[in-house]
Amino acid sequence: MQPITNLENNLSFEDFKAEVIKDYKTAMISRECSLLGRREVLTGKAKFGIFGDGKEVPQLAMAKAFKKGDWRSGYYRDQTFMMAIGELTPEQFFAGLYANTNIDLEPMSAGRQMGGHFVTHSLNDNGSWKDLTNQYNSSADISPTAGQMPRLLGLAQASKIFREVEGINTTGFSKEGNEVAWGTIGNASTSEGLFFETINAAGVLQVPMIISVWDDEYGISVHAKHQTTKENISEILKGFQRDKNSKGYEILRVKGWDYANLIETYQEAGAIAREEHVPVLIHVQELTQPQGHSTSGSHERYKNTERLEWEAKNDCNLKLRKWIIESGIATNETLVEIERSAKRDVREAKKNAWNTFLRPIKKEQEELISILKQVKAVSVNGVFIAKLKDSLANIDEPTRKDILSHARKALRYIVEENFQEKKTLSKWIDSIFQHAQPKFSSHLYSETQRSNTRIKEIKATYDDGAEQVDGRIILRDNFDAIFSSYPEALVFGEDTGNIGDVNQGLEGLQEKYGELRVADTGIREASIIGQGIGMALRGLRPIAEIQYLDYILYALQIISDDLATLHYRTKGKQKAPLIIRTRGHRLEGIWHSGSQMGGILNLVKGVNLLVPRNMTKAAGFYNTLLLGDDPAIVVECLNGYRLKEKMPNNLGNLKTPIGVVETVKEGTDITLVSYGSTLRIVQQTAKDLLAVGIDAEIIDVQSLMPFDLNQDIVKSIAKTNRVMIIDEDVPGGASAYILDKILNEQNAFQYLDSAPKTLTAKAHRPAYGNDGDYFSKPSAEDIFEAIYDVMHELSPNDFPKLEITQF
């Protein structure tokens, strides 16, 4: 190793030595955490573990270049980095391993995800922003390989927006766009498409992003020769290297055990990204993984003797130790004492974390044992209660599952008895659930006053003789009002900028607001969503446009695993109120048919899913969402852009409520529930039904998630005693979801005199052309005949059977 020139110029030699020794102690503490962490998993105290051993030294270098206001988007081996910036203690490390649900003791996720996933808190308890410029920031990690990459792009792009867009109040969010987004990834995960998509996009956008590739030559058991062309990610990315004639990346290579060169490399990378807004890739090579990939197996199974011997000799901590002694920074005796101290400190931290985790559970165990003793004394089944009590008492390290399982089984033995002790047991079980359930279930959505569902409705208002205009004009003018009122709002997507989106809902707005606020992107849906997540994490209000609903499948993993879980997995300590704008419904053909809805419903819990029937309703949703903290997908009706609507006079202010249905026609005979484009067909069919004496009530769902919070559909069913869900999605999709909500959650079955019905598309996708659509999705005739058939069952004389057999 070489001397650290920059540090030596800025520090006295004594200060320099102290800094190096401090780093060595951090590295040894982190290593001991990894070693003890693995043992805790193997003894059963923890469920699973992936640790950062072998990556300590480059993370120390990264921490030195990381400044307050910067952001990290990493993966589950960055524990040394978090310790080096002061955001992770050994006790917190073990609290995460044990899944402690106390956010104060386990600030990374309150036990909601595996240890090794790191976060800093961006929000106060009331949901307001902290000063992000005055703290080190880490976006909440996720496990899916390369899943951290799209978000990294947005975190970096936010600095570009803050630096170059005028009018944004950057207080607490940015200091002149000088913040760098630092990403980390393992060498094998660079094989993922998300990595290449993000790398390409960052090069195009020229954002201050630094990506470190920790390269230990393996991906679990698979060697780099099976992962990467030429076995070298920086080699195959040479074409991204910037030069005098073209923009691109700065690509740097460094050995992962070379402390001095690592620090200089990271200082250089930080300066380039921070000052020039140029992305940098640092390929950190010759790293090791001393304990293998995870606690699920041993690397001795797949590494040969030569590789294992090489890893033992080239361990980065060992190489740092040797360099410290050779450089005269510290003696062997000093380092031995540091190593012993690290072992003692980590053992004590582990012990404290375990005792702190177990203490409240043991208290509940003791409470239940006391109650069971009382129940045993008065129950005719006391002998069985005694066995349960003794079984519970014999568990030295109980879980809440152990405790509640014993308590609920005890209730079975006394189900036919009636005494005060039984009531005490029942109330105790209820109190434990009330106390414990939120530890695992809260914060799927915002629980503050800025929850989207708390934003009150403001109806559209109209001037006398209001003009009938294309729906796209309403959207366009509403977006104009949004960008005028919210300097931090921006929209981006494929064909979004120059032509004003494929349906002209943003016509002329790029020219008015600039290419950064109304922007075109490449065809790369996952990183479009990532841009939005990252920028929303930093206080901007992005609208990410996915051109059509079916294209959202390309981004669904990022929406599902990252966006939808963010607020939950941080227990409300981070938020990304991203708005995803897309369009679907009623287009002929396989791809744009909207049959993704069922999948979206089941994969994006944590995101609002909104399905406005026209563009006025859509505009109202956008206005509502900009006042709230929850992310959302808005699915505009694809055939609604050219349909005429009255022009409201309160664009920018009208608000469509979230989680509230709308009764668009009152009736007495049957409740018809639908949404989006299909609702128009239902409305048209209702007129034909009136002609034969059937008066249908029509309800527009508007918001699939959350769904009908006021239970207005049930109120309608209580009046009509019949219900039909009409949906262009395939069977088992949104129609099944809606039916489950109103029957099983809202108990509408008690009001039904006829079997509830669903009318959906056929199981296949629509074939190309108008006839393909007609034979695939519910037509006006299908709807009429299905409703008529329900009324025929009720009164055959009044409604003679139609000679149609498909229903």
Side-chain angles (χ1 to χ4, degrees):
M1 294 188 195
Q2 301 300 316
I4 307 174
T5 308
N6 292 339
L7 281 182
E8 291 191 67
N9 288 341
N10 297 328
L11 298 174
S12 69
F13 186 63
E14 290 303 315
D15 288 340
F16 166 68
K17 288 198 300 183
E19 186 76 12
V20 174
I21 291 171
K22 178 184 174 185
D23 279 350
Y24 184 68
K25 183 173 183 179
T26 300
M28 294 313 299
I29 287 174
S30 178
R31 178 64 60 89
E32 283 301 315
C33 284
S34 295
L35 296 171
L36 274 184
R38 182 179 179 87
R39 292 178 202 168
E40 292 299 276
V41 173
L42 297 180
T43 59
K45 285 185 177 179
K47 192 172 184 179
F48 184 71
I50 294 181
F51 306 109
D53 46 312
K55 316 295 187 293
E56 292 92 349
V57 174
Q59 290 180 32
L60 294 170
M62 176 174 151
K64 291 186 183 304
F66 195 89
K67 298 182 182 298
K68 287 187 176 181
D70 285 358
W71 281 82
R72 167 191 168 273
S73 180
Y75 83 138
Y76 39 63
R77 301 202 188 275
D78 291 349
Q79 69 200 44
T80 309
F81 169 81
M82 294 298 290
M83 291 176 178
I85 63 171
E87 293 296 334
L88 177 70
T89 67
E91 195 161 332
Q92 290 169 342
F93 172 90
F94 285 103
L97 193 65
Y98 302 140
N100 194 318
T101 57
N102 186 325
I103 190 72
D104 295 322
L105 300 173
E106 202 286 271
M108 300 303 148
S109 75
R112 296 185 174 197
Q113 61 176 343
M114 183 182 75
H117 293 76
F118 306 115
V119 69
T120 53
H121 296 180
S122 302
L123 306 177
N124 298 305
D125 289 342
N126 64 0
S128 62
W129 292 100
K130 293 177 178 286
D131 182 352
L132 304 181
T133 64
N134 198 36
Q135 65 178 43
Y136 299 113
N137 300 291
S138 174
S139 58
D141 292 341
I142 57 175
S143 289
T145 51
Q148 72 273 29
M149 290 293 295
R151 176 201 332 140
L152 173 65
L153 177 66
L155 291 169
Q157 188 181 4
S159 290
K160 188 180 187 75
I161 298 298
F162 284 131
R163 179 175 286 186
E164 299 186 22
V165 174
E166 296 181 358
I168 301 175
N169 181 3
T170 62
T171 304
F173 296 109
S174 178
K175 292 183 178 178
E176 299 179 344
N178 290 330
E179 301 78 23
V180 172
W182 302 76
T184 64
I185 192 169
N187 58 290
S189 293
T190 64
S191 301
E192 293 277 12
L194 293 174
F195 173 82
F196 283 97
E197 185 174 321
T198 303
I199 287 290
N200 181 59
V204 171
L205 292 171
Q206 289 292 284
V207 292
M209 179 182 104
I210 300 174
I211 180 71
S212 295
V213 180
W214 307 143
D215 192 344
D216 57 27
E217 290 195 16
Y218 282 84
I220 307 183
S221 67
V222 180
H223 190 267
K225 65 185 178 183
H226 302 295
Q227 304 272 5
T228 310
T229 302
K230 300 184 179 182
E231 301 181 30
N232 189 316
I233 188 62
S234 59
E235 182 69 20
I236 64 173
L237 292 177
K238 276 185 175 179
F240 285 82
Q241 175 67 52
R242 63 176 179 164
D243 55 38
K244 293 180 180 179
N245 300 316
S246 57
K247 296 179 179 179
Y249 274 74
E250 191 63 44
I251 299 177
L252 306 173
R253 299 176 185 84
V254 63
K255 306 300 184 186
W257 46 262
D258 192 342
Y259 178 79
N261 283 329
L262 279 162
I263 289 177
E264 291 189 352
T265 298
Y266 274 90
Q267 294 293 326
E268 178 186 358
I272 291 170
R274 200 178 306 280
E275 296 166 13
E276 302 179 49
H277 274 203
V278 168
V280 182
L281 183 136
I282 305 176
H283 188 187
V284 184
Q285 299 172 288
E286 296 189 14
L287 287 169
T288 67
Q289 203 151 274
Q291 299 186 109
H293 174 264
S294 70
T295 55
S296 64
S298 171
H299 64 158
E300 284 83 3
R301 291 183 301 159
Y302 53 85
K303 291 178 183 175
N304 60 33
T305 302
E306 290 75 19
R307 176 65 190 187
L308 291 170
E309 290 176 352
W310 182 90
E311 290 200 6
K313 293 177 181 177
N314 288 276
D315 181 284
C316 62
N317 286 6
L318 186 63
K319 298 277 256 185
L320 175 57
R321 188 185 200 282
K322 182 179 179 182
W323 177 79
I324 289 173
I325 294 172
E326 290 177 348
S327 301
I329 294 171
T331 64
N332 178 66
E333 290 73 20
T334 299
L335 298 186
V336 168
E337 181 52 38
I338 288 173
E339 290 152 11
R340 289 173 177 169
S341 173
K343 289 179 183 292
R344 289 193 300 268
D345 291 348
V346 171
R347 281 198 301 267
E348 187 66 21
K350 175 186 75 69
K351 178 182 175 182
N352 291 340
W354 178 248
N355 290 337
T356 303
F357 168 72
L358 199 58
R359 192 175 298 120
I361 301 176
K362 292 283 285 185
K363 182 175 181 290
E364 293 168 10
Q365 179 191 33
E366 292 165 1
E367 290 173 354
L368 179 57
I369 289 171
S370 176
I371 293 171
L372 291 178
K373 284 181 181 178
Q374 298 170 33
V375 173
K376 166 185 167 292
V378 296
S379 172
V380 296
N381 288 313
V383 64
F384 299 107
I385 302 298
K387 288 181 179 180
L388 283 173
K389 175 185 71 66
D390 293 343
S391 171
L392 180 60
N394 286 330
I395 302 175
D396 291 332
E397 296 174 341
T399 64
R400 283 196 169 90
K401 174 187 174 183
D402 294 328
I403 295 168
L404 281 167
S405 177
H406 281 75
R408 295 165 80 178
K409 286 176 180 176
L411 275 182
R412 301 176 194 172
Y413 290 119
I414 58 176
V415 64
E416 296 181 355
E417 300 184 72
N418 188 19
F419 42 76
Q420 182 58 44
E421 289 79 2
K422 176 182 177 181
K423 294 178 181 177
T424 300
L425 175 60
S426 181
K427 287 181 179 178
W428 185 87
I429 292 172
D430 288 344
S431 71
I432 293 297
F433 269 110
Q434 290 172 10
H435 172 70
Q437 190 67 53
K439 296 177 184 293
F440 304 93
S441 304
S442 70
H443 293 90
L444 184 60
Y445 298 95
S446 172
E447 298 184 1
T448 73
Q449 291 299 313
R450 287 180 59 86
S451 165
N452 288 354
T453 59
R454 293 178 181 268
I455 311 301
K456 300 299 182 183
E457 179 180 18
I458 297 178
K459 293 182 180 294
T461 56
Y462 303 91
D463 293 329
D464 293 339
E467 183 183 2
Q468 293 278 339
V469 299
D470 289 348
R472 72 171 188 88
I473 301 298
I474 293 172
L475 270 182
R476 182 198 66 190
D477 290 0
N478 192 76
F479 279 127
D480 190 6
I482 285 172
F483 295 135
S484 176
S485 301
Y486 296 89
E488 68 275 20
L490 61 157
V491 63
F492 46 91
E494 298 156 18
D495 300 306
T496 295
N498 184 44
I499 68 169
D501 88 41
V502 291
N503 297 102
Q504 299 288 278
L506 296 164
E507 179 190 21
L509 297 187
Q510 185 182 78
E511 183 177 357
K512 184 172 183 179
Y513 294 103
E515 293 184 2
L516 288 176
R517 293 191 66 194
V518 184
D520 286 309
T521 70
I523 300 175
R524 46 175 183 78
E525 286 78 12
S527 56
I528 289 173
I529 297 301
Q531 286 176 250
I533 295 172
M535 286 192 279
L537 276 164
R538 294 192 59 187
L540 295 169
R541 293 310 305 252
I543 303 170
E545 181 169 317
I546 302 297
Q547 193 163 93
Y548 296 109
L549 181 66
D550 57 297
Y551 297 166
I552 215 167
L553 295 182
Y554 290 92
L556 198 51
Q557 187 256 321
I558 294 302
I559 299 171
S560 178
D561 287 334
D562 197 353
L563 180 64
T565 67
L566 175 69
H567 200 61
Y568 169 79
R569 72 180 188 269
T570 63
K571 201 176 182 182
K573 296 304 181 182
Q574 286 191 345
K575 63 183 176 183
L578 169 63
I579 300 171
I580 300 172
R581 180 191 181 210
T582 189
R583 50 192 66 83
H585 307 308
R586 305 307 298 177
L587 183 68
E588 295 92 338
I590 292 173
W591 311 119
H592 301 166
S593 60
S595 54
Q596 298 82 9
M597 197 66 77
I600 295 169
L601 279 165
N602 287 290
L603 288 169
V604 303
K605 298 295 193 298
V607 176
N608 294 159
L609 181 55
L610 310 175
V611 283
R613 68 179 181 271
N614 59 36
M615 300 310 164
T616 302
K617 289 291 183 180
F621 274 137
Y622 291 120
N623 298 337
T624 298
L625 292 169
L626 283 165
L627 295 177
D629 276 351
D630 295 310
I633 299 171
V634 181
V635 185
E636 298 167 7
C637 295
L638 192 56
N639 64 354
Y641 297 104
R642 304 292 174 181
L643 295 180
K644 300 296 183 182
E645 298 180 37
K646 285 171 61 177
M647 172 63 85
N649 61 16
N650 62 337
L651 290 178
N653 293 317
L654 66 94
K655 295 176 182 64
T656 308
I658 292 174
V660 179
V661 305
E662 181 177 353
T663 301
V664 297
K665 177 190 175 300
E666 294 189 354
T668 56
D669 293 329
I670 187 170
T671 299
L672 305 179
V673 180
S674 191
Y675 63 89
S677 295
T678 308
L679 190 87
R680 290 197 206 99
I681 304 174
V682 174
Q683 288 178 286
Q684 295 162 7
T685 305
K687 298 175 183 177
D688 295 335
L689 290 167
L690 276 174
V692 296
I694 300 173
D695 186 11
E697 182 146 300
I698 302 174
I699 295 181
D700 179 9
V701 169
Q702 299 194 111
S703 171
L704 285 166
M705 291 196 304
F707 179 83
D708 191 11
L709 298 177
N710 299 327
Q711 300 194 10
D712 290 325
I713 294 175
V714 175
K715 296 169 188 174
S716 172
I717 294 171
K719 177 174 64 173
T720 66
N721 309 119
R722 279 164 286 281
V723 64
M724 182 177 292
I725 316 298
I726 303 164
D727 179 25
E728 69 175 7
D729 198 6
V730 296
S735 59
Y737 166 85
I738 293 169
L739 196 60
D740 176 70
K741 286 286 186 181
I742 64 177
L743 292 185
N744 295 327
E745 287 192 20
Q746 301 179 358
N747 299 319
F749 61 85
Q750 61 188 311
Y751 303 113
L752 289 171
D753 292 339
S754 300
K757 299 284 187 179
T758 62
L759 179 62
T760 70
K762 301 297 187 290
H764 61 260
R765 304 284 184 92
Y768 176 69
N770 291 330
D771 281 348
D773 206 40
Y774 186 80
F775 283 93
S776 301
K777 294 183 177 182
S779 65
E781 292 74 30
D782 293 333
I783 296 169
F784 180 96
E785 290 159 8
I787 295 166
Y788 187 92
D789 188 59
V790 171
M791 300 307 294
H792 165 73
E793 292 180 9
L794 172 70
S795 179
N797 291 331
D798 293 331
F799 304 100
K801 186 172 181 62
L802 291 170
E803 296 303 320
I804 302 290
T805 59
Q806 65 171 324
F807 300 107

